[in-house]
Coordinates of all heavy atoms in Angstrom, one line a residue:
M6 N 27.1 -11.0 5.9 CA 27.5 -9.6 5.9 C 26.9 -8.7 7.0 O 25.6 -8.7 7.1 CB 27.4 -9.0 4.6 CG 28.2 -7.6 4.4 SD 27.9 -7.2 2.6 CE 27.1 -5.6 2.9
R7 N 27.6 -7.9 7.7 CA 26.9 -7.1 8.8 C 26.2 -5.8 8.2 O 26.8 -5.2 7.2 CB 28.1 -6.6 9.7 CG 27.5 -5.9 10.9 CD 28.7 -5.3 11.8 NE 29.5 -4.2 11.2 CZ 29.1 -2.9 11.2 NH1 28.0 -2.6 11.9 NH2 29.9 -2.0 10.6
E8 N 25.0 -5.6 8.6 CA 24.2 -4.5 8.2 C 24.8 -3.2 8.8 O 25.2 -3.2 9.9 CB 22.8 -4.6 8.5 CG 22.1 -5.7 7.6 CD 20.6 -5.7 7.8 OE1 20.1 -4.9 8.5 OE2 20.0 -6.6 7.2
K9 N 24.8 -2.1 8.0 CA 25.2 -0.8 8.6 C 24.2 -0.2 9.6 O 23.1 -0.4 9.3 CB 25.4 0.2 7.4 CG 26.6 -0.1 6.5 CD 26.7 1.0 5.4 CE 27.9 0.7 4.6 NZ 28.0 1.6 3.5
S10 N 24.8 0.4 10.5 CA 23.9 1.2 11.4 C 23.5 2.6 10.8 O 24.2 2.8 9.8 CB 24.6 1.3 12.9 OG 25.4 2.4 12.7
W11 N 22.6 3.2 11.4 CA 22.2 4.4 10.9 C 23.3 5.5 10.8 O 23.5 6.4 10.0 CB 21.0 5.0 11.5 CG 21.2 5.4 13.0 CD1 20.9 4.6 14.0 CD2 21.6 6.7 13.5 NE1 21.2 5.3 15.2 CE2 21.6 6.5 14.9 CE3 22.0 7.8 12.9 CZ2 22.1 7.6 15.7 CZ3 22.3 8.9 13.7 CH2 22.4 8.8 15.2
R12 N 24.3 5.3 11.9 CA 25.5 6.2 11.9 C 26.4 6.1 10.8 O 27.2 7.0 10.5 CB 26.1 6.0 13.3 CG 25.4 6.4 14.6 CD 26.2 6.3 15.7 NE 25.6 6.7 17.0 CZ 24.7 5.8 17.6 NH1 24.6 4.6 17.3 NH2 24.1 6.3 18.7
E13 N 26.4 5.0 10.1 CA 27.4 4.7 9.0 C 26.8 4.9 7.7 O 27.5 4.9 6.7 CB 27.7 3.2 9.1 CG 28.5 2.8 10.4 CD 28.6 1.3 10.6 OE1 27.6 0.7 10.8 OE2 29.8 0.8 10.5
I14 N 25.5 5.4 7.6 CA 24.9 5.6 6.4 C 25.1 7.1 6.1 O 25.0 8.0 6.9 CB 23.4 5.3 6.4 CG1 23.1 3.8 6.7 CG2 22.7 5.8 5.2 CD1 21.7 3.5 7.0
P15 N 25.6 7.5 4.8 CA 25.9 8.9 4.5 C 24.6 9.8 4.7 O 23.5 9.3 4.4 CB 26.3 8.9 3.1 CG 26.6 7.4 2.8 CD 25.9 6.5 3.7
I16 N 24.8 11.0 5.1 CA 23.7 11.9 5.2 C 23.3 12.2 3.7 O 24.0 12.5 2.8 CB 24.3 13.2 5.9 CG1 24.6 12.9 7.3 CG2 23.1 14.3 5.9 CD1 25.3 14.1 8.0
G17 N 21.9 12.1 3.7 CA 21.2 12.3 2.3 C 21.5 13.8 1.8 O 21.6 14.7 2.6
G18 N 21.6 13.9 0.5 CA 21.8 15.3 -0.1 C 20.6 15.7 -0.8 O 19.7 14.9 -0.9
M19 N 20.6 17.0 -1.2 CA 19.5 17.5 -1.9 C 20.0 18.0 -3.2 O 20.9 18.7 -3.3 CB 18.8 18.7 -1.2 CG 17.5 19.0 -1.6 SD 16.7 20.2 -0.6 CE 17.1 21.7 -1.5
I20 N 19.4 17.5 -4.4 CA 19.7 17.9 -5.7 C 18.8 19.0 -6.2 O 17.7 18.8 -6.6 CB 19.8 16.7 -6.7 CG1 20.7 15.6 -6.1 CG2 20.3 17.1 -8.0 CD1 20.5 14.2 -6.7
E21 N 19.3 20.1 -6.1 CA 18.5 21.4 -6.4 C 18.0 21.3 -7.8 O 16.9 21.8 -8.3 CB 19.0 22.6 -6.0 CG 19.2 22.7 -4.5 CD 19.4 24.2 -4.0 OE1 19.4 25.0 -4.9 OE2 19.6 24.3 -2.8
D22 N 18.9 21.0 -8.9 CA 18.7 21.0 -10.2 C 17.5 20.1 -10.7 O 17.0 20.3 -11.7 CB 19.9 20.6 -11.0 CG 21.1 21.7 -10.9 OD1 20.7 22.9 -10.5 OD2 22.1 21.5 -11.2
A23 N 17.3 19.1 -9.8 CA 16.2 18.2 -10.1 C 14.8 18.9 -9.9 O 13.8 18.3 -10.3 CB 16.3 17.0 -9.2
G24 N 14.8 20.1 -9.3 CA 13.5 20.7 -9.1 C 12.8 20.3 -7.9 O 13.5 19.5 -7.1
N25 N 11.6 20.7 -7.7 CA 11.0 20.2 -6.5 C 9.4 20.0 -6.8 O 9.0 20.4 -7.8 CB 11.1 21.2 -5.3 CG 10.7 22.5 -5.5 OD1 9.6 22.8 -5.9 ND2 11.6 23.5 -5.3
A26 N 8.7 19.5 -5.7 CA 7.3 19.2 -6.0 C 6.5 20.5 -6.3 O 5.5 20.4 -7.1 CB 6.7 18.6 -4.7
D27 N 6.9 21.6 -6.0 CA 6.2 22.9 -6.3 C 6.3 23.2 -7.8 O 5.3 23.7 -8.3 CB 6.8 23.9 -5.4 CG 5.9 25.2 -5.5 OD1 4.7 25.1 -5.4 OD2 6.4 26.4 -5.6
T28 N 7.3 22.7 -8.4 CA 7.5 23.0 -9.8 C 6.5 22.2 -10.7 O 6.1 22.7 -11.7 CB 8.9 22.7 -10.2 OG1 9.8 23.3 -9.4 CG2 9.2 23.1 -11.7
Y29 N 6.3 20.9 -10.2 CA 5.5 20.0 -11.1 C 4.1 20.2 -10.7 O 3.6 19.9 -9.6 CB 5.9 18.6 -10.8 CG 7.4 18.4 -11.2 CD1 8.4 18.3 -10.3 CD2 7.8 18.5 -12.5 CE1 9.7 18.1 -10.6 CE2 9.2 18.4 -12.8 CZ 10.1 18.2 -11.9 OH 11.4 18.1 -12.2
E30 N 3.3 20.7 -11.7 CA 1.9 20.9 -11.4 C 1.2 19.6 -11.7 O 1.0 19.1 -12.9 CB 1.3 22.0 -12.2 CG 2.1 23.3 -11.8 CD 1.3 24.5 -12.3 OE1 0.4 24.5 -13.1 OE2 1.7 25.5 -11.8
T31 N 0.7 18.8 -10.7 CA 0.2 17.4 -10.8 C -1.3 17.4 -11.0 O -1.9 16.3 -11.0 CB 0.7 16.6 -9.7 OG1 0.5 17.3 -8.5 CG2 2.2 16.3 -9.7
G32 N -1.9 18.6 -11.0 CA -3.4 18.6 -11.0 C -4.0 17.9 -12.3 O -5.0 17.4 -12.2
S33 N -3.2 17.9 -13.3 CA -3.8 17.3 -14.5 C -3.9 15.7 -14.4 O -4.5 15.0 -15.3 CB -2.9 17.6 -15.7 OG -1.6 17.0 -15.6
W34 N -3.2 15.1 -13.3 CA -3.3 13.6 -13.0 C -4.7 13.3 -12.5 O -5.1 12.1 -12.6 CB -2.2 13.2 -12.1 CG -0.9 13.5 -12.4 CD1 -0.4 14.1 -13.5 CD2 0.3 13.1 -11.7 NE1 1.0 14.3 -13.4 CE2 1.4 13.5 -12.4 CE3 0.4 12.3 -10.5 CZ2 2.7 13.3 -11.9 CZ3 1.8 12.0 -10.1 CH2 2.8 12.6 -10.8
R35 N -5.4 14.2 -12.0 CA -6.6 14.0 -11.3 C -7.9 13.4 -12.0 O -8.1 13.9 -13.1 CB -7.0 15.4 -10.6 CG -7.8 15.3 -9.4 CD -7.9 16.7 -8.8 NE -8.4 17.7 -9.7 CZ -7.7 18.8 -10.0 NH1 -6.6 19.0 -9.3 NH2 -8.1 19.7 -10.9
T36 N -8.5 12.4 -11.4 CA -9.7 11.9 -11.9 C -10.9 12.4 -11.2 O -11.9 12.7 -11.7 CB -9.7 10.3 -11.9 OG1 -8.5 9.8 -12.6 CG2 -11.0 9.8 -12.6
Y37 N -10.6 12.5 -9.8 CA -11.7 13.0 -9.0 C -11.2 14.4 -8.4 O -10.0 14.5 -8.1 CB -12.0 12.1 -7.7 CG -12.7 10.9 -8.1 CD1 -12.1 9.7 -8.7 CD2 -14.1 10.8 -8.2 CE1 -12.9 8.6 -9.1 CE2 -14.9 9.8 -8.5 CZ -14.2 8.6 -9.0 OH -14.9 7.5 -9.4
R38 N -12.1 15.2 -8.2 CA -11.8 16.5 -7.6 C -12.4 16.8 -6.3 O -13.6 16.5 -6.2 CB -12.3 17.7 -8.7 CG -11.8 19.1 -8.2 CD -12.5 20.1 -9.0 NE -12.2 20.1 -10.4 CZ -12.4 21.1 -11.3 NH1 -12.8 22.3 -10.8 NH2 -12.1 21.0 -12.6
P39 N -11.7 17.1 -5.3 CA -12.3 17.5 -4.0 C -13.0 18.9 -4.1 O -12.5 19.8 -4.5 CB -11.1 17.6 -3.1 CG -10.0 18.0 -3.9 CD -10.3 17.4 -5.3
I40 N -14.3 18.8 -3.7 CA -15.1 20.1 -3.7 C -15.3 20.5 -2.3 O -15.9 19.6 -1.5 CB -16.5 19.9 -4.5 CG1 -16.3 19.3 -5.9 CG2 -17.3 21.1 -4.5 CD1 -15.6 20.2 -6.9
W41 N -15.0 21.8 -2.0 CA -15.0 22.2 -0.6 C -16.2 23.0 -0.4 O -16.4 24.0 -1.2 CB -13.7 23.0 -0.3 CG -13.6 23.6 1.1 CD1 -13.7 23.1 2.2 CD2 -13.4 25.0 1.3 NE1 -13.6 23.9 3.3 CE2 -13.3 25.1 2.7 CE3 -13.1 26.1 0.4 CZ2 -13.1 26.3 3.3 CZ3 -12.9 27.3 1.1 CH2 -13.0 27.5 2.5
D42 N -16.9 22.8 0.7 CA -18.0 23.5 1.1 C -17.7 24.5 2.2 O -17.6 24.1 3.4 CB -19.2 22.7 1.4 CG -20.6 23.5 1.7 OD1 -20.4 24.7 2.0 OD2 -21.6 22.9 1.5
A43 N -17.4 25.7 2.0 CA -16.9 26.7 3.0 C -17.9 26.9 4.1 O -17.6 27.2 5.2 CB -16.6 28.1 2.3
E44 N -19.2 26.8 3.8 CA -20.2 26.9 4.7 C -20.3 25.8 5.8 O -20.5 26.1 7.0 CB -21.7 26.9 4.1 CG -21.8 28.1 3.1 CD -21.8 29.4 3.7 OE1 -22.4 29.6 4.8 OE2 -21.2 30.4 3.2
K45 N -19.9 24.7 5.5 CA -19.8 23.4 6.4 C -18.5 23.4 7.2 O -18.5 22.9 8.2 CB -20.0 22.2 5.6 CG -21.4 22.0 5.0 CD -21.5 20.7 4.4 CE -22.7 20.3 3.7 NZ -22.7 19.0 3.0
C46 N -17.5 23.9 6.6 CA -16.2 23.7 7.1 C -16.0 24.3 8.5 O -16.4 25.5 8.8 CB -15.2 24.4 6.1 SG -13.4 24.2 6.8
I47 N -15.3 23.6 9.5 CA -15.2 24.1 10.8 C -13.7 24.4 11.1 O -13.3 24.7 12.1 CB -15.8 23.1 11.9 CG1 -14.9 21.8 11.7 CG2 -17.2 23.0 11.8 CD1 -15.2 20.8 12.9
H48 N -12.9 24.3 10.0 CA -11.5 24.6 10.0 C -10.7 23.8 11.2 O -9.8 24.3 11.8 CB -11.3 26.2 10.3 CG -12.0 27.0 9.2 ND1 -11.5 27.1 7.9 CD2 -13.2 27.7 9.4 CE1 -12.4 27.9 7.3 NE2 -13.4 28.2 8.1
C49 N -11.0 22.6 11.2 CA -10.3 21.7 12.1 C -8.9 21.3 11.5 O -8.0 20.9 12.2 CB -11.1 20.4 12.3 SG -11.3 19.3 10.8
L50 N -8.7 21.5 10.2 CA -7.4 21.2 9.5 C -7.0 19.8 9.4 O -5.9 19.6 9.1 CB -6.3 22.1 10.0 CG -6.7 23.6 10.1 CD1 -5.4 24.4 10.5 CD2 -7.4 24.2 8.8
A51 N -7.9 18.9 9.6 CA -7.6 17.5 9.4 C -7.2 17.3 8.0 O -6.2 16.5 7.7 CB -8.7 16.6 9.8
C52 N -7.9 17.8 7.0 CA -7.5 17.7 5.7 C -6.2 18.3 5.3 O -5.4 17.7 4.6 CB -8.5 18.4 4.8 SG -8.7 20.2 5.1
W53 N -5.8 19.3 5.9 CA -4.5 20.0 5.7 C -3.3 19.1 6.2 O -2.3 18.9 5.6 CB -4.5 21.4 6.4 CG -3.2 22.1 6.3 CD1 -2.7 22.8 5.3 CD2 -2.3 22.3 7.4 NE1 -1.4 23.3 5.7 CE2 -1.2 23.0 7.0 CE3 -2.3 21.9 8.8 CZ2 -0.1 23.3 7.7 CZ3 -1.1 22.2 9.5 CH2 -0.2 22.9 9.2
I54 N -3.6 18.6 7.4 CA -2.5 17.7 8.0 C -2.4 16.4 7.0 O -1.2 16.0 6.8 CB -2.9 17.1 9.3 CG1 -2.8 18.4 10.3 CG2 -2.1 16.1 10.0 CD1 -3.7 18.2 11.7
A55 N -3.4 15.9 6.5 CA -3.3 14.7 5.8 C -3.0 14.8 4.3 O -2.5 13.8 3.7 CB -4.6 13.9 5.9
C56 N -3.2 15.9 3.6 CA -2.9 16.0 2.3 C -1.4 15.8 2.0 O -0.7 16.6 2.5 CB -3.3 17.4 1.8 SG -3.0 17.7 0.0
P57 N -1.2 14.8 1.1 CA 0.1 14.5 0.8 C 0.8 15.4 -0.2 O 2.1 15.5 -0.5 CB 0.1 13.1 0.2 CG -1.4 13.1 -0.4 CD -2.1 13.8 0.5
D58 N 0.0 16.3 -0.8 CA 0.5 17.3 -1.8 C 0.5 18.8 -1.3 O 0.7 19.6 -2.1 CB -0.4 17.1 -3.0 CG 0.0 15.8 -3.8 OD1 1.2 15.7 -4.1 OD2 -0.9 15.0 -4.0
S59 N 0.2 19.0 0.0 CA 0.2 20.3 0.5 C -0.7 21.2 -0.3 O -0.4 22.4 -0.6 CB 1.6 20.9 0.6 OG 2.4 20.1 1.4
A60 N -1.8 20.6 -0.7 CA -2.8 21.3 -1.7 C -3.9 22.1 -0.9 O -4.7 22.8 -1.6 CB -3.3 20.4 -2.6
I61 N -4.0 21.8 0.4 CA -5.0 22.6 1.1 C -4.5 24.0 1.5 O -3.4 24.0 2.0 CB -5.4 21.8 2.4 CG1 -5.9 20.4 2.1 CG2 -6.4 22.6 3.2 CD1 -7.2 20.4 1.3
Q62 N -5.1 24.9 1.1 CA -4.6 26.4 1.3 C -5.2 26.9 2.6 O -6.4 26.8 2.8 CB -5.1 27.2 0.1 CG -4.4 26.7 -1.2 CD -5.0 27.3 -2.4 OE1 -6.2 27.6 -2.5 NE2 -4.1 27.7 -3.3
L63 N -4.2 27.5 3.3 CA -4.7 28.2 4.6 C -4.3 29.7 4.6 O -3.4 30.1 3.9 CB -3.9 27.6 5.9 CG -3.9 26.1 6.1 CD1 -3.2 25.8 7.3 CD2 -5.4 25.5 6.1
K64 N -5.1 30.3 5.4 CA -4.8 31.8 5.6 C -5.2 32.1 7.1 O -6.3 31.7 7.5 CB -5.4 32.8 4.6 CG -5.0 34.1 4.8 CD -5.6 35.1 3.8 CE -5.0 36.5 3.9 NZ -5.8 37.5 3.2
D65 N -4.2 32.6 7.9 CA -4.4 33.0 9.2 C -5.1 31.7 10.0 O -6.0 31.8 10.8 CB -5.5 34.2 9.3 CG -4.8 35.4 8.7 OD1 -3.5 35.6 8.8 OD2 -5.6 36.2 8.2
G66 N -4.5 30.6 9.7 CA -4.9 29.4 10.4 C -6.3 28.8 10.1 O -6.7 27.9 10.6
K67 N -6.8 29.3 9.0 CA -8.1 28.7 8.5 C -8.0 28.3 7.0 O -7.2 28.8 6.3 CB -9.2 29.8 8.6 CG -9.5 30.1 10.0 CD -10.8 31.0 10.0 CE -11.3 31.2 11.5 NZ -12.6 31.9 11.6
M68 N -8.7 27.3 6.7 CA -8.8 26.8 5.3 C -9.4 27.8 4.5 O -10.5 28.3 4.7 CB -9.5 25.4 5.3 CG -9.6 24.8 3.8 SD -10.2 23.2 3.8 CE -10.3 22.9 2.0
V69 N -8.9 28.0 3.2 CA -9.5 29.0 2.3 C -9.6 28.4 0.9 O -10.3 29.1 0.1 CB -8.6 30.3 2.3 CG1 -8.6 31.1 3.5 CG2 -7.2 29.9 1.9
G70 N -9.2 27.2 0.8 CA -9.4 26.5 -0.5 C -8.4 25.6 -0.9 O -7.7 25.0 0.0
I71 N -8.5 25.1 -2.1 CA -7.6 23.9 -2.5 C -6.8 24.4 -3.8 O -7.3 25.0 -4.7 CB -8.5 22.7 -3.0 CG1 -9.3 22.3 -1.7 CG2 -7.8 21.6 -3.5 CD1 -10.4 21.4 -2.0
D72 N -5.5 24.1 -3.8 CA -4.6 24.3 -4.9 C -4.9 23.2 -5.9 O -4.2 22.2 -5.8 CB -3.1 24.4 -4.4 CG -2.2 24.5 -5.5 OD1 -2.6 24.7 -6.7 OD2 -1.0 24.5 -5.2
Y73 N -5.7 23.5 -6.9 CA -6.0 22.5 -8.0 C -4.8 22.2 -8.9 O -4.8 21.3 -9.6 CB -7.3 22.8 -8.7 CG -8.4 22.6 -7.8 CD1 -9.4 23.7 -7.7 CD2 -8.9 21.4 -7.3 CE1 -10.6 23.6 -7.0 CE2 -10.0 21.3 -6.5 CZ -10.8 22.3 -6.4 OH -12.1 22.1 -5.6
S74 N -3.9 23.1 -8.9 CA -2.7 22.8 -9.7 C -1.8 21.7 -9.2 O -1.1 21.1 -10.0 CB -1.8 24.1 -9.8 OG -2.5 25.1 -10.4
H75 N -1.9 21.5 -7.9 CA -1.1 20.4 -7.3 C -1.8 19.2 -6.7 O -1.3 18.2 -6.4 CB -0.2 21.0 -6.2 CG 0.8 21.9 -6.8 ND1 0.6 23.3 -6.8 CD2 2.1 21.6 -7.3 CE1 1.7 23.7 -7.5 NE2 2.6 22.9 -7.8
C76 N -3.2 19.4 -6.4 CA -4.1 18.3 -6.0 C -4.1 17.3 -7.0 O -4.5 17.4 -8.1 CB -5.5 18.9 -5.6 SG -6.6 17.6 -5.5
K77 N -3.8 16.0 -6.4 CA -3.9 14.8 -7.4 C -5.2 14.1 -7.3 O -5.5 13.1 -8.0 CB -2.8 13.9 -7.1 CG -1.4 14.3 -7.4 CD -0.4 13.1 -7.3 CE 1.1 13.6 -7.1 NZ 1.4 13.7 -5.7
G78 N -6.1 14.6 -6.4 CA -7.4 13.9 -6.3 C -7.5 12.6 -5.6 O -8.2 11.8 -5.9
C79 N -6.5 12.5 -4.7 CA -6.5 11.1 -4.0 C -7.7 10.9 -3.1 O -7.9 9.7 -2.7 CB -5.1 11.0 -3.2 SG -5.0 12.2 -1.8
G80 N -8.2 11.9 -2.6 CA -9.5 11.8 -1.7 C -9.2 11.7 -0.3 O -10.0 11.5 0.6
I81 N -7.9 11.7 0.1 CA -7.6 11.6 1.6 C -8.2 12.7 2.4 O -8.8 12.4 3.4 CB -6.1 11.6 1.8 CG1 -5.4 10.3 1.1 CG2 -5.7 11.7 3.3 CD1 -3.9 10.3 1.1
C82 N -8.2 13.9 1.9 CA -8.8 15.1 2.6 C -10.3 14.8 2.9 O -10.8 15.0 4.0 CB -8.6 16.4 1.7 SG -9.3 16.3 0.0
A83 N -11.1 14.3 1.8 CA -12.5 14.0 2.1 C -12.7 12.9 3.0 O -13.6 12.9 3.8 CB -13.1 13.7 0.7
F84 N -11.8 11.9 3.0 CA -11.9 10.8 4.0 C -11.7 11.3 5.4 O -12.3 10.9 6.4 CB -10.8 9.8 3.6 CG -10.9 8.6 4.5 CD1 -11.8 7.5 4.4 CD2 -10.0 8.4 5.6 CE1 -11.8 6.4 5.2 CE2 -10.0 7.3 6.4 CZ -10.9 6.3 6.3
E85 N -10.7 12.3 5.6 CA -10.3 12.8 6.9 C -11.3 13.8 7.4 O -11.3 14.1 8.7 CB -8.9 13.3 6.9 CG -7.8 12.3 6.6 CD -7.8 11.2 7.8 OE1 -8.1 11.6 8.9 OE2 -7.3 10.1 7.4
C86 N -12.0 14.4 6.6 CA -13.0 15.4 7.0 C -14.0 14.7 7.9 O -14.5 13.8 7.5 CB -13.6 16.1 5.9 SG -14.7 17.5 6.3
P87 N -14.3 15.3 9.0 CA -15.2 14.5 10.0 C -16.5 14.3 9.3 O -17.1 15.1 8.7 CB -15.4 15.6 11.1 CG -14.2 16.4 11.2 CD -13.7 16.6 9.6
D88 N -17.0 13.1 9.5 CA -18.2 12.6 8.9 C -19.5 13.6 9.1 O -20.3 13.8 8.3 CB -18.7 11.2 9.3 CG -17.7 10.1 8.8 OD1 -17.0 10.5 7.8 OD2 -17.7 9.0 9.3
K89 N -19.5 14.1 10.4 CA -20.6 14.9 10.7 C -20.6 16.2 10.0 O -21.6 16.9 9.8 CB -20.6 15.2 12.2 CG -21.0 14.1 13.0 CD -21.2 14.5 14.5 CE -21.4 13.3 15.4 NZ -21.2 13.5 16.8
I90 N -19.4 16.6 9.4 CA -19.2 17.9 8.8 C -19.3 17.8 7.3 O -20.0 18.5 6.7 CB -17.8 18.5 9.1 CG1 -17.5 18.6 10.7 CG2 -17.6 19.9 8.5 CD1 -18.6 19.4 11.4
A91 N -18.5 16.8 6.8 CA -18.6 16.4 5.4 C -18.5 17.7 4.4 O -19.3 17.9 3.6 CB -19.8 15.6 5.0
A92 N -17.4 18.5 4.7 CA -17.3 19.8 4.0 C -16.4 19.5 2.6 O -16.3 20.5 1.9 CB -16.6 20.7 4.8
L93 N -16.0 18.2 2.5 CA -15.2 17.9 1.2 C -15.9 16.7 0.5 O -16.2 15.6 1.2 CB -13.8 17.6 1.5 CG -12.9 18.7 1.9 CD1 -11.7 18.3 2.6 CD2 -12.6 19.6 0.7
E94 N -16.3 16.8 -0.7 CA -16.8 15.8 -1.5 C -16.0 15.6 -2.8 O -15.7 16.6 -3.5 CB -18.2 16.2 -1.8 CG -19.0 15.1 -2.5 CD -20.4 15.6 -3.0 OE1 -20.9 16.7 -2.6 OE2 -21.1 14.8 -3.6
M95 N -15.8 14.3 -3.0 CA -15.0 14.0 -4.3 C -16.0 13.8 -5.4 O -17.0 13.0 -5.3 CB -14.2 12.7 -4.1 CG -13.2 12.7 -3.0 SD -12.0 14.1 -3.0 CE -11.1 13.6 -4.6
K96 N -15.7 14.6 -6.5 CA -16.6 14.5 -7.7 C -15.7 14.1 -8.9 O -14.6 14.7 -9.0 CB -17.4 15.7 -7.9 CG -18.4 15.9 -6.9 CD -19.4 17.0 -7.3 CE -20.6 17.0 -6.4 NZ -21.5 18.1 -6.7
L97 N -16.2 13.5 -9.8 CA -15.6 13.1 -11.1 C -15.2 14.4 -11.8 O -16.0 15.3 -11.9 CB -16.4 12.2 -12.0 CG -16.3 10.8 -11.8 CD1 -17.4 10.0 -12.6 CD2 -14.8 10.3 -12.2
E98 N -14.0 14.5 -12.3 CA -13.7 15.8 -13.1 C -14.6 16.0 -14.3 O -14.9 17.2 -14.5 CB -12.2 15.6 -13.6 CG -11.2 15.9 -12.6 CD -11.1 17.4 -12.3 OE1 -11.3 18.3 -13.0 OE2 -10.7 17.6 -11.2
T99 N -15.1 14.9 -14.9 CA -16.0 15.0 -15.9 C -17.3 15.7 -15.6 O -18.1 16.1 -16.4 CB -16.3 13.6 -16.7 OG1 -16.6 12.8 -15.6 CG2 -15.0 13.2 -17.4
E100 N -17.6 15.6 -14.2 CA -18.9 16.2 -13.8 C -18.7 17.6 -13.4 O -19.7 18.4 -13.4 CB -19.4 15.4 -12.5 CG -19.9 14.0 -12.8 CD -20.2 13.2 -11.5 OE1 -20.2 13.8 -10.5 OE2 -20.5 12.1 -11.7
V101 N -17.5 18.0 -13.1 CA -17.3 19.4 -12.6 C -16.4 20.3 -13.6 O -16.3 21.4 -13.3 CB -16.8 19.5 -11.2 CG1 -17.7 18.9 -10.1 CG2 -15.4 18.7 -11.1
N102 N -15.9 19.7 -14.5 CA -15.0 20.4 -15.4 C -15.5 21.6 -15.9 O -16.6 21.7 -16.3 CB -14.5 19.5 -16.6 CG -13.0 19.5 -16.8 OD1 -12.3 20.3 -16.2 ND2 -12.5 18.5 -17.5
D103 N -14.7 22.8 -15.7 CA -15.2 24.1 -16.1 C -14.3 24.6 -17.3 O -13.3 24.0 -17.7 CB -15.3 25.0 -14.9 CG -14.1 24.9 -14.0 OD1 -13.0 24.5 -14.5 OD2 -14.4 25.2 -12.8
Ligands
SF4_10 S1 -7.6 15.1 -3.0 FE1 -5.5 14.4 -2.1 S2 -4.2 15.9 -3.1 FE2 -6.1 16.7 -3.4 S3 -6.4 18.2 -1.6 FE3 -7.3 16.2 -1.1 S4 -5.7 15.2 0.0 FE4 -4.6 16.8 -1.1
SF4_11 S1 -11.3 18.6 7.4 FE1 -13.3 19.3 6.7 S2 -13.8 20.6 8.3 FE2 -11.8 20.3 8.7 S3 -10.7 22.0 7.7 FE3 -10.8 20.4 6.1 S4 -12.7 20.8 5.1 FE4 -12.8 22.0 6.9

C-alpha cells in the first residue's frame, strides 16, 4: 500500500473544549524543584528556550523567576544553564517545601 504524502494528510485541528496546557497546573507532579539564584543569573535565556513547560518567567527580556504552578521539575533548565554560571539548582521538594 502506498504511503500518503504530507499533502494528502488532513490539516490538524484544534479542539478548544479540551483545554490547554495553561489550564492544567502540573506543578504538583514535581519531585525536584529548580531553585534560581538571581545574583548568579546572566539572563542568557538558555533555560527559557529549553523549558518544555514555558515555566521560565521573563520580563523585558530578562529572567525574573519560575512558574512553579506549571514547572514539572524535569531539570532541563538546570542542565542548560551554563556550568560556569550554575544559577539553577535542582533540589528535592522535601528539602525546600514551604
Ligand atoms: S525544571 Fe523543567 S519544567 Fe521546571 S522550569 Fe526547569 S525546564 Fe521548566
Ligand atoms: S540559563 Fe542560567 S544564566 Fe541563563 S537565564 Fe537561565 S538561570 Fe540565568
Side-chain angles (χ1 to χ4, degrees):
M6 193 174 119
R7 186 182 70 85
E8 289 187 3
K9 289 182 179 179
S10 78
W11 65 269
R12 289 187 181 85
E13 297 167 291
I14 297 170
I16 295 171
M19 195 176 93
I20 303 166
E21 292 195 7
D22 289 345
N25 61 49
D27 191 41
T28 308
Y29 300 109
E30 298 198 346
T31 48
S33 62
W34 300 7
R35 204 172 46 240
T36 303
Y37 286 88
R38 184 190 300 200
I40 305 294
W41 177 55
D42 186 335
E44 298 294 317
K45 291 182 180 175
C46 180
I47 59 169
H48 304 283
C49 68
L50 306 189
C52 56
W53 175 73
I54 292 166
C56 176
D58 288 301
S59 300
I61 302 295
Q62 298 170 315
L63 302 187
K64 187 174 182 195
D65 299 328
K67 292 190 170 185
M68 182 175 176
V69 293
I71 298 167
D72 172 7
Y73 288 125
S74 296
H75 293 93
C76 164
K77 294 195 200 85
C79 65
I81 294 173
C82 55
F84 181 82
E85 293 296 332
C86 187
D88 288 344
K89 285 183 186 168
I90 308 301
L93 286 162
E94 184 184 355
M95 300 306 291
K96 289 198 170 174
L97 272 171
E98 279 290 330
T99 51
E100 290 174 1
V101 294
N102 228 342
D103 41 25

